[in-house]
Amino acid sequence: MNGLPIHRPAEVLPPPAGVTVIIASMFAGAIAGELRSRGVSDWVSAAPLIRNVIQAEQARGGPNPILAALNECVLVLCAFVVAVIARFRAKTVDVGIGPECLINNQYHKRALLHAGYSAETFVIGVTHVTQQFDHVFIPRRIVASNVAVLLRVFHLAATRYRLLYVYFGGGPFYASRWAWRVEPLLFAIARTRIVVLPYGQDIQDFTRCPNLPFKHATTVDYPFQNRDRQRIADRIDLWTRGAGHVVSGCDWVDYMHHWDTLIPGHFAIDADGLRRRAEDAISSIGAGSILTGGDAPVRIVHAPNHRTIKGTPHVVAAVERLREEGIPVELTIVEAAANQTVLEQMARADIVVDQLVIGWYAMVAIEAMALGKPVVCYIRPDLHALYVGAGVLAGDELPLVMANPETLADALRPLIADRERRRALGVKGQAYVRDRHSITTIGAVFAAINQELGVPPSGPVPPAPLPN
């Protein structure tokens, strides 16, 4: 990970009166939108709400909302000037990916590089999962200092990148109180094109969710998620209108009302590298493992980041039931661990159980398939029918063992007993990942989108990989 880079915005000149009027109008519109999201339709009835918000923030030791709002006015005013300067400045990098800290960003960068694009990742803050990003900005607790950080991130995004890949949370202002509402306008002024992708929590307005078990699981794992419902809905509308291209897939289609590209998922991984890692791990296990034909218990790995949402209690119950039947099986649960640790544990697994509630597969299942592991996962029939009917998938293409909480034990029982079936599923899974989620495949999808937006690659496209 690079150290914290110092990005200094261009010199900010005093704006003319016309610009001040535009910014004031933007501020008023943003405040009006925020009030509408809280069910307030006029400024008179807004007064008690504003007073209550101030009192609530002061009671919990938060920043003064009035001071925070004024700081964001300064932020947007400065960002407007930066956007105007960026409009007439040559941008040096094709694509910027950020600013939310997701492991997808690293793979998306590699996919774009493979397609001949120059690309960088930038994030605001990092987590234990991964810290491999090109530009890392650390948010500050002091409001005024944090505004300076956000302005530096915006300056990087607006002046350096011809095209931005963001999630529905938005760009550099995604954690702001209201400034996020004007981001599409600011990037339009800067002539920076936008591709917006979902990743899950950024679009989950559960009034739109038909999956009741998933809705319940989310209320258990995230009891305060409902507080952001209106903001999430507003951002879906904002970026669907404001982006040049919208990508969808997975179960994200439940929450979105429009997309330009539909794929099973925009996740990309280094399938060949993970396969080599699996081969090294298997060779180091020894003859006592079921992978090499021994009599050791079959090892099931489950890697939840949210236990109820992933169905972890059902996984534990199913394994206990199989043990009571005398079936030799052991369960390893990997959570709150770095991605490298999760990969190492899955490389030594016989079976990987992904999620049993959401209804579609994601990164854990893709990585496990790339490692040559049979994967058990819940796939909603209506989502499968959508992707098959849209011509995105073939009817029998998914190499997953499909199960739900009620059928998990029955799905595992024959899989545990049949080592050859596990190996066959592993081979089929690796082929699926190469076809649908490899660096080459996702790079080609992104290249087509970028070309449509008028952003050709600035570098040569590397030669195609040799056949396996």
Side-chain angles (χ1 to χ4, degrees):
M1 178 185 70
N2 293 350
L4 179 65
I6 303 300
H7 300 289
R8 301 189 183 280
E11 181 181 0
V12 177
L13 302 177
V19 173
T20 304
V21 171
I22 292 174
I23 295 296
S25 300
M26 291 161 56
F27 175 63
I31 293 297
E34 188 68 24
L35 292 173
R36 283 195 302 272
S37 72
R38 296 172 179 266
V40 177
S41 58
D42 61 85
W43 291 100
V44 174
S45 56
L49 173 64
I50 295 173
R51 183 178 63 251
N52 292 338
V53 169
I54 293 175
Q55 291 174 349
E57 291 284 351
Q58 292 174 338
R60 66 183 181 91
N64 186 306
I66 300 300
L67 177 61
L70 291 175
N71 273 282
E72 289 196 18
C73 287
V74 174
L75 171 65
V76 171
L77 179 61
C78 294
F80 182 88
V81 177
V82 170
V84 172
I85 293 171
R87 184 179 184 88
F88 303 102
R89 175 179 292 184
K91 297 173 171 60
T92 57
V93 178
D94 292 332
V95 183
I97 308 165
E100 297 192 57
C101 180
L102 298 174
I103 194 171
N104 303 340
N105 300 359
Q106 302 171 25
Y107 290 118
H108 287 168
K109 174 187 171 180
R110 293 183 62 182
L112 287 160
L113 291 175
H114 186 84
Y117 286 86
S118 56
E120 292 180 344
T121 56
F122 65 99
V123 296
I124 302 175
V126 292
T127 68
H128 70 277
V129 176
T130 184
Q131 300 181 6
Q132 303 297 317
F133 301 102
D134 296 307
H135 302 277
V136 177
F137 297 84
I138 306 301
R140 310 299 184 189
R141 298 190 65 180
I142 301 174
V143 173
S145 299
N146 204 44
V147 166
V149 171
L150 296 183
L151 184 59
R152 284 164 52 201
V153 182
F154 179 81
H155 177 266
L156 173 78
T159 63
R160 187 170 177 82
Y161 305 125
R162 300 162 65 196
L163 180 63
L164 277 180
Y165 277 47
V166 302
Y167 300 99
F168 275 90
F173 301 162
Y174 75 92
S176 65
R177 291 170 178 266
W178 65 267
W180 58 269
R181 293 181 180 273
V182 298
E183 275 191 312
L185 173 61
L186 292 171
F187 282 119
I189 293 171
R191 288 183 174 169
T192 301
R193 306 303 301 271
I194 302 291
V195 174
V196 63
L197 313 93
Y199 69 86
Q201 196 172 1
D202 59 330
I203 57 165
Q204 285 169 349
D205 170 8
F206 279 95
T207 62
R208 310 178 185 188
C209 178
N211 186 342
L212 295 181
F214 181 37
K215 186 182 297 189
H216 170 70
T218 302
T219 63
V220 173
D221 284 346
Y222 293 100
F224 301 111
Q225 190 271 349
N226 65 304
R227 295 181 179 179
D228 292 329
R229 189 204 68 78
Q230 187 59 56
R231 178 171 292 202
I232 290 171
D234 289 347
R235 293 190 193 208
I236 293 172
D237 293 341
L238 177 73
W239 287 104
T240 300
R241 295 192 309 268
H245 198 97
V246 180
V247 178
S248 190
C250 298
D251 65 314
W252 307 322
V253 294
D254 287 338
Y255 311 97
M256 301 170 62
H257 53 80
H258 169 80
W259 48 81
D260 301 297
T261 294
L262 180 67
I263 52 179
H266 55 67
F267 309 105
I269 65 170
D270 179 6
D272 293 332
L274 287 177
R275 186 173 67 253
R276 288 191 296 270
R277 187 179 305 172
E279 292 168 353
D280 293 342
I282 291 172
S283 65
S284 68
I285 290 175
S289 169
I290 196 72
L291 288 170
T292 55
D295 296 324
V298 170
R299 186 171 187 238
I300 296 175
V301 169
H302 176 61
N305 47 1
H306 331 277
R307 281 196 165 219
T308 311
I309 289 175
K310 289 299 183 76
T312 305
H314 303 293
V315 178
V316 173
V319 171
E320 288 299 326
R321 176 180 169 185
L322 295 173
R323 284 175 178 163
E324 291 173 358
E325 296 174 6
I327 296 175
V329 60
E330 64 180 35
L331 174 64
T332 299
I333 296 178
V334 187
E335 55 188 333
N339 180 250
Q340 180 64 28
T341 301
V342 176
L343 292 174
E344 290 172 356
Q345 291 294 328
M346 289 197 300
R348 290 166 172 80
D350 296 295
I351 300 169
V352 173
V353 177
D354 186 19
Q355 60 75 33
L356 300 173
V357 178
I358 299 171
W360 200 252
Y361 69 89
M363 200 64 177
V364 168
I366 295 170
E367 290 174 332
M369 285 189 285
L371 289 169
K373 307 302 175 182
V375 178
V376 181
C377 183
Y378 170 52
I379 299 296
R380 274 173 40 195
D382 60 328
L383 292 177
H384 188 255
L386 167 67
Y387 292 111
V388 172
V392 175
L393 289 176
D396 59 349
E397 186 176 358
L398 282 182
L400 302 168
V401 177
M402 300 183 191
N404 59 41
E406 290 72 32
T407 64
L408 178 60
D410 294 334
L412 287 173
R413 194 177 291 107
L415 195 59
I416 292 170
D418 192 341
R419 183 169 57 252
E420 291 306 316
R421 183 186 176 210
R422 297 202 302 272
R423 287 176 173 162
L425 285 169
V427 171
K428 188 176 179 181
Q430 287 178 325
Y432 178 82
V433 170
R434 284 196 301 271
D435 290 343
R436 297 295 183 181
H437 296 287
S438 67
I439 298 296
T440 303
T441 299
I442 300 301
V445 172
F446 287 168
I449 293 171
N450 299 349
Q451 295 274 9
E452 178 186 310
L453 294 177
V455 182
S458 61
V461 178
L466 296 175
N468 293 299

